Amino acid sequence: MDRLPILPLGQVVVYPHVVLPMALSDPHAVQLIDEVVQGNKRLLLGIVKPLAGAEPPEGAVMQARPDELYEVGTLGSVVRMLKLGDGSVRVMVQGLERARFVEIGPAEHWLVAGFETLASAGPEDARTEALKRTVHAQFSRVIDIAPYLGEELHEVLSGITDGSKLADFAAANLDLALPAKAELLSIDDVNRRLERLAELLGQELQVLEVGTQIQEKVKSRLDANQREYVLREQLRVIRQELGEDDGDDELDELGRRLDEAGLHAEAKKVVDRELKRLRQMSPQSAEYHVARTYLEVFATLPWNRTSEDRLDLKAARDILDRDHYDLKTVKERILEYLAVRTLNPQARGSILCFVGPPGVGKTSLGQSIAEALGRRFTRVSLGGVRDEAEVRGHRRTYVGALPGRIIHSLQRCETRNPLLMLDEVDKMGADVRGDPTAALLEVLDPAQNASFVDHYLEVPFDLSGVMFIATANSLAPIPDPLLDRMEVLTLPGYTPGEKLAIAKRFLLPRQLKETGLTAERAGVADAALERLIGEYTREAGVRQLEREIQGVLRKAALEVVEGRAEGAAGKGGAVKISVKNLEKYAGQPRVQSEVAGRSPEVGVATGLAWTPVGGDIMFIEAIQMPGKGQITLTGQLGDVMKESAQAAWSLLRARAGALGIPLEAFTQTDVHLHVPAGAVPKDGPSAGITIATALASLLCQRPSRHDVAMTGELTLRGRVLPIGGLKEKLTAAARAGVKTVLVPARNQSDIVEVPDEVKKLLEIKPVETIDEVLELALLESRAPRPLDVRARKPGSLEVRP
């Protein structure tokens, strides 16, 4: 059996009777061709398989292994060879016969193999003739519509009568996948080969016909657009001849506005390019309106328009005092900023964060600050925002794209240095559309916001002159990186005295005006306002108080109107609202505040709590019963508060001897600790010393003073740690009638912020250890009675000392 060298070809199949030119640059391939030409000019043309879904490289693949070749290739000969100056060769090879490779093995630099030729089996019959006509018609149709086939193939096709040659000729010229071409080469039976070729031709015809339909639709649309363009050009020329050429006036006006906008170099470059494109578009096209809207945003943005700050400290102080009561810390911070701007006009804008409960005046304070500074005020509500594009804007590739809320607010206020309030920054969320809090990191960073890039604009915009003020009810939901960029100013809840002053100075006059009354026709006594604050509202701010005042004045207005109509509205038609007749106008009281106990009790201690609507007092109760030394905690307590109770129990158990507690109390009795108002969740460590006092009172049988309240975290070593919300807690203690309050010694610096009116009503005693707490809070023990720890009788629920 003859053995011939194999030229492995990638992405190329040489069929019998087909001449194919090739360019070879691989040195081993060039050497192989040289030896073939010097010999009998015959060689085997192999086909390299696609491996792992990847097509083999085009041309000769000399590094191919035997298992990477299809089993059937082509016996061919070199018809012509041309050597080029760079060492490569151009050859023309002709396929002679199909050949099955046998015993493929390596030679010096290429593969060699024996071969068996595959002759076309059997004479042609009627079926063969039918298949030939089908393939002939299909391939002729392909030549007509395929862009990669020339018309001259029709002449060649008409001269082929042999079925085998027809199949090979069509397969060689079709744009088929490599496996399909290799499959056609491996089929020796003519009928089977023509059948398979007819299937492939049918598939190719479907693809080509669909492509032709798409091209015809595109061409028709292009022709329509071209026709429209020509007609519009003719119309423009006609209008010019008639002196009615106003078509470019709007674009000229837009260009003038863009020139006057004061764009920086990068923005100017983008605008010039877009304006040039816009002039070349038809006004009726959709792209025209998109580009026009984009340029309008550039024209309306305040690139260099700024307002001048009012640097009059006295006027600013007067405005802040006029609109808001107290809030000394915030007002001083604004005056400090004005002083810095006076000394350094180039100072960057501040980034503040007002944190406080609802209704304390965070948003209205921002408006007053803007007026005091002489700046425009604009507000961006971020509550419920979950899409990053709300902050950064949408890219122009989206239909209906718009800039983000930051850029839109600057468009609205028409100045580059407004006071921009980011309202409810703690109410933002995140979902699959991104995290808006992450987008705010750039906005609120003074080192980055000078070149803030909105996705819609795609050019930097300077936000360094903007004074940002964020508002939040709680710091907990705000991510730490965002919180680190803001200066936090806490606005605590108002005390009853502060609420009374706010009601007299702001709320009552405003509601008198809203209801159409005057101070001569209706009035509310101070004592009535105090009762409205204490018995009709429970809030840190004053919103509910204002609604209550409005409701009272509405009823007063009704009486005034009816009295004027009937002549029976009292002396001079005036309505005076006092404590005595308040329920007539405001209804029954709706808030029941806790008040201090009337007498000392065993197992009951008074604590202080902080809530989002202000402070309050709470009672912690403990009872004892026969058992096995277990403690039960109820009252919907959180994990931290439960751990405080366990720490207090362990501390008392460890100090039982020093406190005079019998050891049997921890082994033969159970204790139940309860915090009333069980429907209200409670948590936090500040009730630690209160829990310990209640338990010590119970176990020592020493009554707890009813006029003493306390707050502080307790450690296992008996130390009292500092807590928060001291101002609100002390205010609640004074309101409840408590005389003495025990606070952590490390909280003494916070007592400065407590209003003087509260400090006058309370005796505030700092404590450092639980021993000091128990000495101040517990009275001398009653005459002890033996504790009955016998087995309980049926129905016995509690054993009293």
Side-chain angles (χ1 to χ4, degrees):
M1 180 184 297
D2 290 341
R3 296 180 67 82
L4 295 177
I6 300 176
L7 179 63
L9 298 176
Q11 304 184 34
V12 177
V13 177
V14 180
Y15 289 93
H17 314 295
V18 174
V19 178
L20 187 69
M22 288 187 294
L24 303 176
S25 58
D26 188 289
H28 298 315
V30 173
Q31 183 181 355
L32 184 150
I33 294 298
D34 280 339
E35 292 191 9
V36 168
V37 170
Q38 293 173 7
N40 59 5
K41 297 185 179 182
R42 294 203 309 166
L43 75 167
L44 295 174
L45 301 172
I47 309 167
V48 181
K49 300 176 182 178
L51 297 178
E55 292 287 338
E58 191 172 355
V61 187
M62 301 304 294
Q63 68 274 18
R65 301 189 305 271
D67 59 339
E68 295 177 350
L69 298 178
Y70 281 101
E71 184 182 359
V72 176
T74 307
L75 174 65
S77 66
V78 178
V79 178
R80 183 180 301 173
M81 180 184 72
L82 175 63
K83 290 189 176 182
L84 303 178
D86 58 357
S88 62
V89 297
R90 296 288 181 88
V91 296
M92 295 186 68
V93 295
Q94 181 180 9
L96 301 176
E97 294 181 88
R98 287 172 169 74
R100 188 185 307 277
F101 299 159
V102 179
E103 296 180 0
I104 304 175
E108 184 177 357
H109 295 298
W110 49 77
L111 299 174
V112 296
F115 62 94
E116 298 174 355
T117 60
L118 305 177
S120 298
E124 295 185 1
D125 52 13
R127 178 174 176 76
T128 306
E129 184 63 27
L131 288 170
K132 282 166 51 179
R133 294 182 183 181
T134 300
V135 169
H136 190 285
Q138 287 179 318
F139 189 56
S140 179
R141 175 62 179 156
V142 169
I143 295 173
D144 289 336
I145 61 177
Y148 58 87
L149 297 179
E151 292 293 330
E152 64 276 5
L153 292 180
H154 280 296
E155 298 181 7
V156 181
L157 180 63
S158 61
I160 300 176
T161 57
D162 182 71
S164 178
K165 291 182 179 180
L166 174 63
D168 291 341
F169 175 73
N173 287 281
L174 278 177
D175 186 14
L176 299 176
L178 184 63
K181 287 196 170 189
E183 178 188 0
L184 289 174
L185 182 65
S186 65
I187 300 175
D188 55 352
D189 183 73
V190 176
N191 286 353
R192 284 178 47 224
R193 196 188 318 157
L194 287 172
E195 286 177 0
R196 178 59 178 151
L197 181 61
E199 294 177 7
L200 296 173
L201 280 170
Q203 296 173 6
E204 183 71 8
L205 271 175
Q206 286 183 349
V207 173
L208 291 172
E209 287 172 352
V210 172
T212 301
Q213 292 174 4
I214 294 174
Q215 289 179 357
E216 289 176 354
K217 289 181 180 179
V218 172
K219 185 175 182 300
S220 63
R221 290 178 184 175
L222 290 176
D223 290 342
N225 290 338
Q226 183 69 17
R227 179 176 177 275
E228 181 182 353
Y229 175 76
V230 171
L231 291 175
R232 291 195 175 280
E233 284 296 312
Q234 292 176 353
L235 180 60
R236 186 175 64 83
V237 172
I238 293 172
R239 294 181 64 183
Q240 284 180 348
E241 293 295 328
L242 295 174
E244 299 176 355
D245 184 20
D246 297 328
D248 292 336
D249 288 351
E250 292 184 0
L251 294 184
D252 293 339
E253 173 65 17
L254 179 59
R256 184 185 61 78
R257 289 167 55 201
L258 290 169
D259 291 338
E260 296 174 354
L263 306 173
H264 55 73
E266 185 175 350
K268 180 68 174 172
K269 182 179 179 181
V270 172
V271 163
D272 289 344
R273 183 181 69 243
E274 290 295 324
L275 189 59
K276 183 178 179 181
R277 289 180 59 243
L278 187 62
R279 293 185 184 277
Q280 296 172 353
M281 293 181 192
S282 167
Q284 304 302 319
S285 67
E287 185 66 23
Y288 178 90
H289 296 286
V290 172
R292 174 69 183 270
T293 304
Y294 180 65
L295 292 176
E296 286 285 355
V297 172
F298 273 83
T300 54
L301 277 175
W303 296 90
N304 63 354
R305 293 194 298 273
T306 58
S307 59
E308 186 176 351
D309 284 350
R310 181 192 291 121
L311 302 178
D312 187 344
L313 293 180
K314 184 179 183 305
R317 190 188 300 272
D318 292 341
I319 292 172
L320 293 174
D321 290 339
R322 179 198 70 196
D323 294 341
H324 290 83
Y325 180 79
D326 197 25
L327 302 178
K328 296 179 181 178
T329 304
V330 178
K331 293 178 181 178
E332 287 299 321
R333 178 64 183 83
I334 301 306
L335 295 175
E336 290 168 6
Y337 172 75
L338 278 178
V340 171
R341 290 282 296 179
T342 303
L343 299 176
N344 179 17
Q346 304 302 321
R348 291 179 176 176
S350 297
I351 300 173
L352 307 177
C353 181
F354 294 162
V355 179
V360 296
K362 299 183 292 296
T363 304
S364 60
L365 182 59
Q367 295 173 334
S368 298
I369 294 172
E371 183 182 354
L373 297 176
R375 293 192 176 194
R376 299 279 184 88
F377 175 82
T378 183
R379 187 178 71 92
V380 176
S381 178
L382 296 177
V385 171
R386 295 179 175 272
D387 189 354
E388 178 196 0
E390 293 283 346
V391 178
R392 288 187 176 274
H394 299 80
R395 299 192 183 278
R396 280 198 297 156
T397 52
Y398 294 102
V399 176
L402 288 172
R405 296 195 181 193
I406 304 297
I407 294 298
H408 182 66
S409 62
L410 294 177
Q411 281 183 276
R412 194 169 57 246
C413 66
E414 299 179 347
T415 178
R416 192 169 60 85
N417 62 337
L419 188 149
L420 180 56
M421 175 158 281
L422 302 173
D423 217 1
E424 309 293 354
V425 74
D426 58 328
K427 306 298 190 302
M428 290 188 293
D431 61 11
V432 294
R433 295 169 293 181
D435 186 358
T437 59
L440 280 180
L441 295 179
E442 180 185 2
V443 175
L444 299 182
D445 191 342
Q448 300 181 41
N449 63 11
S451 56
F452 171 71
V453 178
D454 187 275
H455 286 162
Y456 182 78
L457 295 180
E458 294 184 335
V459 294
F461 189 89
D462 187 4
L463 298 179
S464 60
V466 179
M467 182 175 185
F468 290 100
I469 295 181
T471 70
N473 297 127
S474 172
L475 294 177
I478 304 177
D480 289 339
L482 182 60
L483 194 61
D484 183 60
R485 286 163 165 78
M486 301 184 291
E487 179 182 348
V488 178
L489 298 178
T490 303
L491 278 66
Y494 295 116
T495 64
E498 291 170 342
K499 290 182 180 180
L500 178 61
I502 292 171
K504 291 169 62 178
R505 288 180 53 181
F506 303 106
L507 306 184
L508 186 56
R510 183 160 64 215
Q511 291 306 319
L512 283 171
K513 183 179 179 181
E514 288 288 331
T515 53
L517 296 171
T518 60
E520 292 76 19
R521 306 185 73 175
V524 183
D526 290 356
L529 289 175
E530 290 177 351
R531 191 177 177 194
L532 278 177
I533 293 168
E535 299 182 17
Y536 289 83
T537 65
R538 180 179 176 83
E539 58 177 345
V542 291
R543 283 182 182 154
Q544 183 62 29
L545 176 59
E546 185 169 14
R547 283 192 286 267
E548 292 295 335
I549 293 174
Q550 185 185 47
V552 167
L553 292 179
R554 283 200 306 267
K555 285 188 170 54
L558 178 61
E559 286 195 3
V560 169
V561 173
E562 289 178 344
R564 184 174 60 195
E566 301 172 8
K571 185 178 179 180
V575 177
K576 298 298 182 182
I577 301 168
S578 63
V579 174
K580 294 182 179 179
N581 64 357
L582 179 62
E583 293 184 7
K584 174 183 175 183
Y585 297 94
Q588 294 298 316
R590 289 179 282 277
V591 175
Q592 298 294 330
S593 298
E594 292 282 7
V595 293
R598 295 181 179 179
S599 61
E601 294 184 62
V602 173
V604 179
T606 306
L608 298 175
W610 177 92
T611 69
V613 296
D616 202 354
I617 69 169
M618 63 179 180
F619 298 108
I620 296 183
E621 306 170 346
I623 61 171
Q624 198 173 23
M625 65 204 82
K628 299 181 180 179
Q630 297 181 347
I631 181 171
T632 303
L633 307 174
T634 58
Q636 202 170 347
L637 309 184
D639 291 339
V640 177
M641 200 166 180
K642 289 180 180 178
E643 291 173 359
S644 297
Q646 292 291 347
W649 178 256
S650 299
L651 175 64
L652 294 177
R653 188 170 184 175
R655 297 190 179 188
L659 295 174
I661 304 174
L663 293 179
E664 293 81 4
F666 296 100
T667 58
Q668 299 181 17
T669 63
D670 288 344
V671 171
H672 186 159
L673 187 83
H674 178 68
V675 183
V680 180
K682 310 168 191 70
D683 204 2
S686 64
I689 63 173
T690 313
I691 295 173
T693 301
L695 292 174
S697 170
L698 176 69
L699 298 175
C700 297
Q701 290 299 301
R702 294 174 60 184
S704 177
R705 290 176 54 184
H706 66 287
D707 59 348
V708 173
M710 62 200 73
T711 180
E713 181 179 354
L714 181 64
T715 71
L716 281 175
R717 295 182 298 165
R719 297 186 180 276
V720 181
L721 300 184
I723 44 80
L726 188 62
K727 175 185 175 183
E728 291 82 357
K729 292 178 179 179
L730 294 181
T731 302
R735 184 173 63 241
V738 172
K739 302 300 181 184
T740 305
V741 178
L742 309 182
V743 301
R746 290 165 63 180
N747 275 114
Q748 290 188 74
S749 59
D750 298 329
I751 298 177
V752 179
E753 301 178 1
V754 178
D756 293 336
E757 58 182 290
V758 173
K759 288 190 281 190
K760 290 178 182 179
L761 298 173
L762 298 174
E763 182 183 2
I764 304 173
K765 293 192 175 184
V767 292
E768 293 185 351
T769 64
I770 188 62
D771 298 323
E772 299 176 37
V773 174
L774 297 180
E775 182 180 350
L776 294 170
L778 299 183
L779 299 174
E780 293 301 323
S781 61
R782 298 170 178 171
R785 290 188 296 173
L787 185 67
D788 187 359
V789 295
R790 292 172 297 178
R792 288 178 293 177
K793 297 179 181 180
S796 177
L797 298 178
E798 180 181 348
V799 177
R800 299 182 181 273

